[in-house]
Amino acid sequence: MPETLTGAPARGAAPARRGPAVPAAAPAAPTGTQSVERAISLLRILARRDAGGARLVDVVADSGLNKPTVRRLLLVLMREGLVDQDPGSRRYHLGVETFALGSVAAERFGIRKIAAPAVLRIAEASGDTAYLSVRSGFDAICVERQEGAFPIRTLTLAVGDRRPLGVGAGSLALLAFQPDLNEIRSIIDVNAGRVNSYAPRFEPQRLLALVDQTRSQGYAFNDGLIVAGMSAVAVPILNRRGEPEAALSIAAIDSRMTPERRAQLVALLQRERERIEQQLGRTQSPGARDLALRARNRMRA
């Protein structure tokens, strides 16, 4: 029986880690280091704002920095091509240099290249929208999307969109199948403010229950929690240590996500997941095999 997050702790389980205490008077970071950290935080803020961009006031609010500091950092990033400003709307966007850097970095992370054909096969076989997501810190990022032939599309994510871990089916799979329960709790704690502002229905206790449900059934199910009338299922792609490397998901309108069809879609995702893991040359962990077996047994019952 899998360990749970919402019930009583398992016998002999270690207490949840609370993280190291913060010193009362931690020394300030050197000016250069602090500037780099702040600049990186601004790039992440713009990434979260997606294609719509962000006003100066938005970046100031999200960063907690004062306006002159934000403006100065944005000007430096613009000179380096990492940030652009739309001359009409005056909104800030990630610049072309971030795309160039990301394209080079993508070659190092082969999961997208290997999994892209699987995402296409999933979309063609299901007729719905298929996604591939990867973890980045406390977020999940969509790195591949393919649309199926069904005329009503569920385009809830674009490539490059990010969500806090746990929000959405693929993001939930990346969170729930982390092997360390203490890490799952820590992620939920860190993301609590962002998740609640993103979707109030994802308060920590609800998210803990969703993690337990996901681990128990062997796949993630988003039952219209993000967009009313749209649902999604997802499975993790695990590495040799049993950690989620990425997640495959399918999104569809509710009428196409009946229990019977959901079982078929999960089976499709599981088959493609196994194919990807074989291509990566990794052996699925015993825990992952157990989760998949339980999911199949439940679907056949």
Side-chain angles (χ1 to χ4, degrees):
M1 183 174 181
E3 295 178 273
T4 65
L5 292 168
T6 53
R11 187 184 300 274
R17 292 179 301 184
R18 297 296 180 185
V22 178
T31 302
T33 302
Q34 189 179 62
S35 296
V36 172
E37 291 173 344
R38 287 175 171 178
I40 291 171
S41 74
L42 297 192
L43 292 174
R44 287 177 173 151
I45 288 169
L46 294 181
R48 288 198 295 268
R49 288 279 175 168
D50 62 48
R55 301 169 300 170
L56 178 62
V57 66
D58 298 326
V59 182
V60 170
D62 289 356
S63 68
L65 302 173
N66 60 52
K67 185 181 290 187
T69 298
V70 170
R71 184 182 284 112
R72 175 177 58 81
L73 290 171
L74 287 173
L75 286 173
V76 172
L77 292 170
M78 289 171 65
R79 284 200 299 269
E80 297 300 323
L82 295 167
V83 169
D84 288 333
Q85 186 180 33
D86 184 276
S89 67
R90 309 300 295 169
R91 288 177 175 265
Y92 294 92
H93 304 260
L94 292 179
V96 68
E97 279 301 315
T98 61
F99 173 78
L101 292 172
S103 298
V104 174
E107 295 300 317
R108 181 170 174 262
F109 300 97
I111 186 69
R112 180 180 180 272
K113 184 176 181 180
I114 290 174
V119 178
L120 178 59
R121 287 192 298 269
I122 291 168
E124 290 177 341
S126 67
D128 296 306
T129 309
Y131 299 92
L132 176 73
S133 301
V134 299
R135 178 180 174 182
S136 174
F138 299 111
D139 293 343
I141 300 178
C142 175
V143 295
E144 182 71 18
R145 184 183 81 180
Q146 291 290 342
E147 300 170 29
F150 190 72
I152 303 178
R153 311 293 171 83
T154 50
L155 307 180
T156 54
L157 282 173
V159 172
D161 283 355
R162 64 173 61 215
R163 285 178 175 162
L165 283 172
V167 177
S171 180
L172 178 58
L174 287 169
L175 173 67
F177 290 98
Q178 294 292 330
D180 186 344
L181 297 185
N182 286 324
E183 182 179 2
I184 294 175
R185 293 187 184 96
S186 296
I187 291 170
I188 291 174
D189 287 344
V190 169
N191 276 347
R194 291 178 56 215
V195 167
N196 190 58
S197 63
Y198 185 91
R201 287 175 290 181
F202 284 95
E203 69 276 1
Q205 281 305 118
R206 177 66 179 278
L207 195 47
L208 288 169
L210 287 172
V211 166
D212 280 345
Q213 179 186 14
T214 299
R215 290 171 68 90
S216 174
Q217 65 193 10
Y219 65 90
F221 178 43
N222 170 28
D223 187 11
L225 294 173
I226 306 294
V227 179
M230 296 184 180
S231 299
V233 289
V235 300
I237 299 170
L238 302 173
N239 61 26
R240 211 173 317 182
R241 297 183 300 276
E243 302 162 339
E245 184 103 347
L248 290 168
S249 59
I250 301 173
I253 58 175
D254 284 349
S255 62
R256 291 174 60 79
M257 198 64 76
T258 62
E260 294 77 16
R261 188 165 191 272
R262 189 197 320 165
Q264 297 169 1
L265 296 179
V266 171
L268 171 61
L269 290 172
Q270 294 283 11
R271 287 195 299 272
E272 292 294 347
R273 187 270 294 275
E274 290 169 5
R275 181 183 293 189
I276 292 169
E277 288 179 339
Q278 288 173 358
Q279 287 181 275
L280 291 171
R282 295 164 184 168
T283 304
Q284 193 181 60
S285 69
R289 288 197 299 270
D290 291 345
L291 289 171
L293 180 59
R294 279 200 302 274
R296 293 190 187 102
N297 290 339
R298 276 179 164 74
M299 289 185 291
R300 289 170 184 154

